[in-house]
């Protein structure tokens, strides 16, 4: 979640060089944008989305939340990114090494936790139409770090979902999907003495996991129900179908289909240009447009 739509848009498109692949509104609060950023086509494993609530109070970081979102970048590109972020006066820039990977940490406009991770051999294509050269560009997600008071129940859930524990380092436990799509790492940061987070601007609302289609989604939903997890019904989100459930550590998970995709109502060459209104709110378009903060591209 964010506190300013223009600032959010500029951070991801003009600084990080991602493509805005969809400009629509929150299904439950249609006076708030839902902005999607990713690679050229919004490929699963590349898409970061935001609800920018105007002047929203910043969240308080703590346990029960995603503390860091990591993007994969080409090997040897971190010096370029360090200089680029520093020139833009980005806060919290820090070079670290984690699980043998070179990582550049930094903060988003609302204190969001981000990292760029050098990943050799990532075959995913960065968006080449933005201000960042393709040879330095973001391939997509590397993964997320979830800060928890107790990691055991969440570890069991991740194992149930097909992840395997692959390493430990300090307070971190790394889980990975074997032969994943590149966006296949989840790190659990277990900090029993840290207070719970309070949601606000800069907080991650949920983490989405991809399945191919609705049939696969129904299989996952039934498996979760059989395991005793409370799961929402399937919800039509126009560009995918979604189900949601709360993890034992407090983080909200979504299982989203790869179908029908972001090009269902826009040509691939013009993704994210026009404001798209969900069908149930289409009759309110004039009112919604008057309420939304204009975004200059």
């Amino acid at each position: 979640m964010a506190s300013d739509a223009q600032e959010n848009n500029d951070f991801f498109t003009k600084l990080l060089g991602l493509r805005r692949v969809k400009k629509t509104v929150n299904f439950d609060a249609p006076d708030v944008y839902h902005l999607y950023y990713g690679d050229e086509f919004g490929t699963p494993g590349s898409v970061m989305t935001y609800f920018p609530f105007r002047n929203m109070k910043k969240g308080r970081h703590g346990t029960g939340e995603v503390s860091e979102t990591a993007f994969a970048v080409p090997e040897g590109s971190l010096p370029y990114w360090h200089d680029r972020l520093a020139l833009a006066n980005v806060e919290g820039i820090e070079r670290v090494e984690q699980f043998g990977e070179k990582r550049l940490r930094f903060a988003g406009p609302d204190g969001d936790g981000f990292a760029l991770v050098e990943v050799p051999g990532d075959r995913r294509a960065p968006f080449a139409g933005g201000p960042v050269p393709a040879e330095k560009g973001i391939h997509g997600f590397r993964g997320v770090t979830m800060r928890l008071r107790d990691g055991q129940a969440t570890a069991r859930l991740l194992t149930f979902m097909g992840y395997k524990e692959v390493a430990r380092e300090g307070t971190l436990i790394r889980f990975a999907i074997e032969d994943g799509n590149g966006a296949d790492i989840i790190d659990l940061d277990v900090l029993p003495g840290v207070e719970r987070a309070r949601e606000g601007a800069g907080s991650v609302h949920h983490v989405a996991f991809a399945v191919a289609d609705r049939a696969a989604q129904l299989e996952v939903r039934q498996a979760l129900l059989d395991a005793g997890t409370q799961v929402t019904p399937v919800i039509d989100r126009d560009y995918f179908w979604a189900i949601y459930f709360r993890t034992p550590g407090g983080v909200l998970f979504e299982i989203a289909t790869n179908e029908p995709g972001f090009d269902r109502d826009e040509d691939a060459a013009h993704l994210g240009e026009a404001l798209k209104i969900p069908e149930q709110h289409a009759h309110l378009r004039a009112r919604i447009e008057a309420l939304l903060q204009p975004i200059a591209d």
Side-chain angles (χ1 to χ4, degrees), residues 10-246:
D10 291 351
F11 181 79
F12 282 96
T13 62
K14 296 179 181 180
L15 182 60
L16 297 188
L18 299 180
R19 185 184 189 187
R20 192 180 70 213
V21 294
K22 193 61 61 178
K23 181 170 67 171
T24 182
V25 296
N26 187 316
F27 272 71
D28 302 315
D31 59 333
V32 175
Y33 282 115
H34 193 177
L35 303 175
Y36 294 70
Y37 310 100
D39 66 6
E40 183 174 2
F41 304 106
T43 307
S46 77
V47 180
M48 186 90 183
T49 88
Y50 268 85
F51 303 130
F53 291 85
R54 196 180 304 190
N55 300 319
M56 186 182 204
K57 186 177 179 180
K58 285 188 179 182
R60 182 188 68 213
H61 294 310
T63 53
E65 69 168 354
V66 170
S67 58
E68 188 171 83
T69 302
F71 295 99
V73 293
E75 190 173 19
S77 65
L78 287 189
Y80 164 85
W81 280 106
H82 183 278
D83 293 346
R84 182 175 181 82
L85 297 176
L87 187 63
N89 296 315
V90 170
E91 296 183 354
I93 300 173
E94 179 188 14
R95 299 189 193 196
V96 298
E97 189 165 305
Q98 188 169 301
F99 294 109
E101 297 174 330
K102 294 179 180 178
R103 180 174 291 237
L104 184 67
R105 289 195 170 120
F106 59 100
D110 290 297
D112 335 31
F114 292 108
L116 299 173
V117 183
E118 289 190 356
V119 181
D122 194 321
R123 295 188 298 272
R124 296 175 293 171
F127 176 50
V132 175
E135 64 270 17
K136 307 291 186 183
I138 291 172
H139 292 287
F141 291 126
R142 174 62 169 158
V144 296
T145 300
M146 293 163 48
R147 188 186 292 124
L148 309 173
R149 282 187 172 181
D150 182 351
Q152 292 185 1
T154 300
R156 288 194 293 271
L157 171 65
L158 292 175
T159 301
F160 179 74
M161 292 173 63
Y163 284 79
K164 293 181 179 179
E165 181 182 331
V166 294
R168 295 194 177 213
E169 185 176 289
T171 60
L172 296 169
I173 310 171
R174 170 157 288 192
F175 288 82
I177 287 281
E178 189 175 356
D179 299 322
N181 65 354
D184 43 28
I185 296 292
I186 294 180
D187 292 334
L188 303 185
D189 192 6
V190 182
L191 300 168
V194 175
E195 65 179 340
R196 287 191 63 83
R198 184 189 65 234
E199 199 170 66
S203 299
V204 173
H205 185 268
H206 63 268
V207 181
F209 298 81
V211 291
D213 51 35
R214 297 185 71 186
Q217 184 184 63
L218 289 175
E219 290 182 13
V220 171
R221 184 175 186 272
Q222 190 59 54
L224 288 166
L225 289 170
D226 290 345
T229 304
Q230 291 187 328
V231 189
T232 68
V234 176
I235 302 171
D236 184 355
R237 295 303 196 195
D238 280 0
Y239 310 107
F240 50 90
W241 283 270
I243 58 175
Y244 302 88
F245 61 99
R246 186 72 60 180

